Amino acid sequence: MANLSSSTIMLTGAGGALATAVAQELEDAGAQLVLVGRGEALERAADRFPATEVLDLDLRDPASVTALRKVQVDALVHTVGAFATQDAQQATDEDLRTMFDENMLTLFHAVQGVLPHMLEQKDGLIMGVSSGSAARLSGPHAALYTASKAAVAAYILSLHDELKAQGVRGCVLYPMGAIDTPRNREAGMSWDALIDPRGLAKSVAHALTRPDRAHVTELKVYPDT
C-alpha cells in the first residue's frame, strides 16, 4: 500500500482526537475514507472530512460485522478504545467487561467485518492502537486496561503471522504516553508529557505506506520527555 491516493481506508472511532488527526493526514495524502463511529462525534467527522461511507455503528455489537462487510477497504485503522483506573482489590467483573469490550471486542468485530474482502483481494493492512503500558506489560492501577491493550497487540501480531502469506498484514501502534486531548489536559497532565496526535497520525501514514518487504509490525511513539 505504497500509494495512499489509490487506497480506501476504514477509520474507526471517527471524531475522536486521534482519529481526527489521522483522518486529516490521510485526506491530505489523497486517501478515500470510510468513517465508522457513533453519534455527534461521527457527525462532526463526516462534516469535516469527505468520506465514501459514513457508518454509525456500535462495534461492541456483533451485528456491526454484517454492516462492515458491505464496504470494501484496503486498510483498517482502529482507534476505538477506553481507559480507566482502579485499585486491584476494587476491580469488578463489570470493569473487566468494559475494558475488554471497548478495547478488544470492538477490534475483533471490525476485523471480522473487513477481513473477507482483504483475503479475497489478497491485500490489506490491519492497524490497532495499543498502549505504552501494554508494551511494557505493566501499569499500576490499570491492570485491566493494560491487559486489554496487551490483548489488542497480541491479536494483531498473531493475525499478521497467520495471514501475511495471503497478503494481509498487521501493525500495532503504541503511544508510549498519554495522547494530547482536551480530557487529558483537563485531568492536569503535563503538556510536554503528552503525545501530539498529529505526530501519531504521521506515524500511521508511515506504516500504511511501507512496501511489503519493509512492513512495520510494531511502532512505538514517545512524547518529548
Side-chain angles (χ1 to χ4, degrees), residues 17-33:
L18 176 56
T20 298
V22 172
Q24 186 64 67
E25 187 72 21
L26 297 180
E27 182 190 38
D28 290 346
Q32 299 295 310
L33 296 176

Side-chain angles (χ1 to χ4, degrees), residues 1-5 7 9 11 18 21-31 75 77 125 127 171 173 197-211 214-216 219 221:
M1 193 180 302
N3 187 359
L4 288 177
S5 64
S7 300
I9 299 172
L11 180 61
L18 176 56
V22 172
Q24 186 64 67
E25 187 72 21
L26 297 180
E27 182 190 38
D28 290 346
V77 179
L125 189 144
M127 176 180 285
C171 179
L173 177 68
R198 294 172 299 179
L200 286 167
K202 289 185 180 300
S203 298
V204 169
H206 172 78
L208 289 172
T209 54
R210 294 310 87 202
H215 179 70
V216 176
L219 192 56
V221 181

Side-chain angles (χ1 to χ4, degrees), residues 102-145:
E102 293 285 349
N103 293 323
M104 183 61 223
L105 185 62
T106 59
L107 171 63
F108 174 73
H109 287 153
V111 170
Q112 292 299 304
V114 302
L115 195 54
H117 174 68
M118 289 184 179
L119 290 173
E120 182 180 348
Q121 68 181 11
K122 295 182 172 58
D123 185 45
L125 189 144
I126 295 166
M127 176 180 285
V129 181
S130 185
S131 73
S133 60
R136 294 185 291 265
L137 294 180
S138 66
H141 304 289
L144 298 181
Y145 169 76

